[in-house]
Amino acid sequence: QVHLMESRGGFVQAGGSLRLSCTASGSIFGINDMGWYRQAPGEGRDLVATISSGGSTMYADSVKGRFTVSRDNDKNTVFLQMSSLKPEDTAVYFCYAHLRDDRSRWRDYWGQGTQVTVSS
């Protein structure tokens, strides 16, 4: 079975930085995109950033210039470097990977979520 494990989030003051990581493990036969979503209280789960297997990235407008997504293909790990954090970045952050499992099916897999809180 495929498992995605995020690093622990944390509490940070506005303007600070935080780095998240997520590692996929299990019966994985290929990984396409990896990335991050987030969900604030009372809101839906929104795309934050994605990175393809070849390193192409895309970002939500709200985080452009502040967040950087990267990956280590050898370790099946995706990172999110968050800088210049704002209170509106407060959310549960979910890692995802679009991958092929041991049944040769491409699916989205999700981490359990990690809390990031940014204080004013």
Side-chain angles (χ1 to χ4, degrees), residues 2-6 22 35-38 45-46 94-97 107-113:
V2 176
H3 180 69
L4 270 60
M5 177 63 72
E6 298 121 337
C22 172
W36 298 89
Y37 284 66
R38 68 186 182 187
R45 186 176 298 185
D46 297 324
F94 296 89
C95 169
Y96 89 92
R107 295 284 189 270
D108 285 335
Y109 290 84
W110 297 88
Q112 67 177 4

Side-chain angles (χ1 to χ4, degrees), residues 84-100:
S84 301
L85 283 162
K86 304 175 181 179
E88 51 262 45
D89 295 318
T90 295
V92 177
Y93 284 71
F94 296 89
C95 169
Y96 89 92
H98 187 68
L99 56 81
R100 192 173 72 172

Side-chain angles (χ1 to χ4, degrees), residues 47-50 57-65 67-70 80:
L47 175 71
V48 176
T50 62
T57 59
M58 62 177 297
Y59 298 90
D61 288 341
S62 59
V63 306
K64 286 181 179 178
F67 290 12
T68 301
V69 63
S70 60
L80 186 67

Side-chain angles (χ1 to χ4, degrees), residues 1-75:
Q1 296 182 357
V2 176
H3 180 69
L4 270 60
M5 177 63 72
E6 298 121 337
S7 62
R8 187 174 62 186
F11 299 85
V12 62
Q13 293 182 331
S17 299
L18 193 65
R19 186 171 186 259
L20 304 178
S21 65
C22 172
T23 299
S25 61
S27 300
I28 300 170
F29 286 75
I31 302 179
N32 193 344
D33 291 349
M34 303 186 78
W36 298 89
Y37 284 66
R38 68 186 182 187
Q39 185 169 12
E43 300 183 15
R45 186 176 298 185
D46 297 324
L47 175 71
V48 176
T50 62
I51 181 168
S52 73
S53 60
S56 298
T57 59
M58 62 177 297
Y59 298 90
D61 288 341
S62 59
V63 306
K64 286 181 179 178
R66 301 188 298 117
F67 290 12
T68 301
V69 63
S70 60
R71 65 191 287 169
D72 184 334
N73 290 330
D74 291 336
K75 298 181 179 179

